[in-house]
Amino acid sequence: MLPCFLAQKAADTVTLIPVRKEGLDAWLETAPAATAAWVRSTGFAAEPGTTALLPSADGQLDRVLVGVGETLDLWSFAGLPTTLPAGKGEASYALDDSLTPEQATAAATGWALASYRFTRYRKATKDLPRLVLPTGADADAVDSMARAVTLVRDLINTPAEDMGPADLAKAARDLGAEFGAAVSVIVGDDLLARNYPTVHAVGRAAAKAPCLIELTWGDTSHPLVCLVGKGVCFDSGGLDIKPAGGMLLMKKDMGGAAHVLGLARLVMAARLPVRLRVLVPAVENAISGNAFRPMDIITTRKGLTVEIGNTDAEGRLILCDALAEADSAKPALILDFATLTGAARIALGTDLPALFANDDQLADDILAAAKETGDPLWRLPLWQGYAKQLDSKIADLNNAPGGGYGGAITAALYLERFVTKGTPWAHIDLMAWNTATRPGRPEGGEAMGLRAAFAMLSRRYPATA
């Protein structure tokens, strides 16, 4: 059991009572006169996320009214771990028994995600309260999701000095060891020998050698599901160097890799009946005498030649080799995650990942799962009218079309060229970072689209008892 939970109530466990704004008056009418007077005096109006602390006759904290919205979801109680009194770490709380099993599981998951803290470099300065695991909650589902999101957040939050390509490979090996998956890593110049030229070209200038990480798991008779994640452990922009402000958050540019490892963890923990294959091209886009240059031409794994229009459009370069390899095995579907374009953030903001797909049914399934799980995505088009922008006069493709318009779409169109028509493929272009703290979602690395993707896979490939 996660440390943020208790298995049963203690003598001093405080009860949490969810109250909707429209139901507050009815609750007050049934409460003792002194309690109702106290609540009214605090000005508590049951706005979502607000609380009213109710004392017992001897002055101890006895109950807490929690304002909730029309529906109880993952985030309804997620503000509580960081705002409720924690005492000396012994304080515990319990939800009343009014929740359905689905609501109980969501509430517990939200509590667990809100209890996350990144403590690799600094110890926590405040103890957090614990929650008695709500009646009816699926403890295994809560534990699995919390551990997967923690993995994603920890990997993204770790600075590039300690999260280079070899460190990502170690994270994959550790994950593989936990679930009995096979992990192999192609490193440095072996990438050229094994025909991953764009991964090598982007990463060759860094002191830390580039690599391609592969994790495989599951029965070979099951449908093959390939996950591909962008693993740019730091992005200076290369010779088309970023300004200081643009470089500041670039430790998160391996967020796509973190997501596919987190998703792989969920798939393996649930024992979904799939043959899972995870591919992570991991590099640092650095500058040295052997850095790849604007207007260089690279022959990709698929054989297509690419003219380098901008060295800061490196993510699609490393992904194209990995996608070509994923596609070569004729999988049932390919899903990639990448912190790929600023254009997607301009179009949709930082909280809403962009979804592209070459298969309408796959896109519909992901969006339905996103709505159901409250893990939003927004589909953007693979608008073929923009494909000509990828043309080069001297190569098959240019990696960075000029003009500055529709950048998220042209990046997705570039990736699409490395997936065979008829192979269901979806591409998620995401921020992977909370720019400010919200309930359950602290500032820093974040899993976005992870719950939606897992829900989609769980429905396509339901686990058997």
Side-chain angles (χ1 to χ4, degrees):
M1 182 177 292
L2 296 170
C4 60
F5 294 122
L6 292 173
Q8 57 188 13
K9 295 180 181 179
D12 58 350
T13 295
V14 176
T15 300
L16 303 173
I17 305 171
V19 181
R20 294 181 176 85
K21 188 172 184 178
E22 60 273 18
L24 178 59
D25 288 340
W27 189 90
L28 291 173
E29 288 175 4
T30 64
T35 298
W38 171 261
V39 172
R40 291 189 178 99
S41 72
T42 65
F44 177 72
E47 295 287 349
T50 61
T51 57
L53 307 183
L54 306 182
S56 62
D58 61 358
Q60 299 298 313
L61 181 58
D62 181 52
R63 291 171 295 168
V64 178
L65 297 184
V66 182
V68 296
E70 185 62 30
T71 58
L72 295 179
D73 61 16
L74 188 72
W75 311 119
S76 293
F77 305 99
L80 301 181
T82 55
T83 57
L84 289 177
K88 296 181 179 180
E90 299 299 324
S92 64
Y93 296 84
L95 287 160
D96 65 14
D97 294 331
S98 63
L99 305 185
T100 67
E102 292 77 15
Q103 291 171 337
T105 299
T109 303
W111 187 284
L113 299 187
S115 298
Y116 170 84
R117 289 179 292 184
F118 184 60
T119 58
R120 178 167 177 171
Y121 303 97
R122 187 179 71 175
K123 292 183 179 179
T125 57
K126 177 185 175 183
D127 291 326
L128 296 181
R130 291 175 293 174
L131 181 72
V132 177
L133 195 67
T135 301
D138 185 334
D140 290 339
V142 173
D143 183 89
S144 182
M145 184 58 69
R147 292 184 189 278
V149 173
T150 293
L151 173 63
V152 174
R153 289 173 172 177
D154 280 351
L155 291 175
I156 296 171
N157 284 330
T158 303
E161 180 64 20
D162 295 325
M163 190 49 63
D167 302 292
L168 262 183
K170 181 181 183 303
R173 288 192 178 100
D174 290 345
L175 184 64
E178 183 177 355
F179 291 97
V183 177
S184 61
V185 184
I186 305 170
V187 183
D189 289 345
D190 285 347
L191 290 164
L192 291 177
R194 300 282 292 275
N195 193 27
Y196 292 96
T198 57
V199 180
H200 183 272
V202 173
R204 72 191 185 202
K208 298 179 179 181
C211 65
L212 181 80
I213 304 160
E214 179 180 14
L215 179 150
T216 55
W217 172 89
D219 191 324
T220 55
S221 67
H222 289 156
L224 177 61
V225 172
C226 289
L227 308 178
V228 179
K230 174 186 170 184
V232 178
C233 296
F234 191 84
D235 183 17
S236 70
L239 290 172
D240 289 311
I241 192 168
K242 294 178 183 288
M247 222 180 290
L248 190 60
L249 287 181
M250 283 301 100
K251 71 174 185 178
K252 77 172 184 66
D253 213 18
M254 39 61 66
H259 276 71
V260 295
L261 291 177
L263 184 54
R265 193 185 204 292
L266 289 167
V267 168
M268 293 187 291
R271 302 199 62 81
L272 298 188
V274 299
R275 174 63 172 171
L276 180 67
R277 189 184 192 200
V278 179
L279 294 171
V280 173
V283 303
E284 181 175 344
N285 188 19
I287 298 172
S288 70
N290 69 336
F292 76 120
R293 297 162 290 265
M295 299 191 78
D296 278 355
I297 295 178
I298 303 170
T299 302
T300 67
R301 182 175 184 81
K302 189 171 182 177
L304 295 174
T305 55
V306 178
E307 182 182 12
I308 305 304
N310 193 304
T311 63
D312 197 20
E314 83 299 330
R316 65 201 71 180
L317 293 173
I318 65 170
L319 285 172
C320 73
D321 274 359
L323 285 171
E325 171 56 23
D327 180 69
S328 69
K330 303 186 185 320
L333 68 86
I334 301 173
L335 178 60
D336 81 69
F337 285 81
T339 53
L340 202 63
T341 67
R345 310 288 74 75
I346 292 169
L348 300 175
T350 58
D351 297 340
L352 189 57
L355 169 68
F356 296 86
N358 67 355
D359 181 275
D360 287 341
Q361 187 60 60
L362 176 58
D364 289 347
D365 289 350
I366 295 173
L367 292 175
K371 184 175 182 180
E372 182 176 329
T373 59
D375 192 16
L377 297 161
W378 195 268
R379 189 179 184 186
L380 294 181
L382 287 165
W383 185 252
Q384 297 301 321
Y386 295 159
K388 283 189 63 64
Q389 296 182 34
L390 296 170
D391 288 350
S392 165
K393 294 179 181 178
I394 57 174
D396 295 318
L397 294 164
N398 189 299
N399 79 317
Y405 298 111
I409 297 174
T410 54
L413 288 170
Y414 175 93
L415 297 180
E416 186 188 28
R417 292 288 296 272
F418 297 86
V419 178
T420 303
K421 288 183 179 179
T423 299
W425 161 70
H427 158 60
I428 296 176
D429 186 341
L430 73 166
M431 179 72 171
W433 190 267
N434 292 322
T435 58
T437 295
R438 292 173 292 161
R441 292 151 287 186
E443 182 179 346
E446 185 58 284
M448 297 176 170
L450 181 74
R451 293 182 290 110
F454 177 61
M456 178 274 293
L457 291 174
S458 297
R459 284 157 179 71
R460 285 198 166 205
Y461 311 104
T464 55

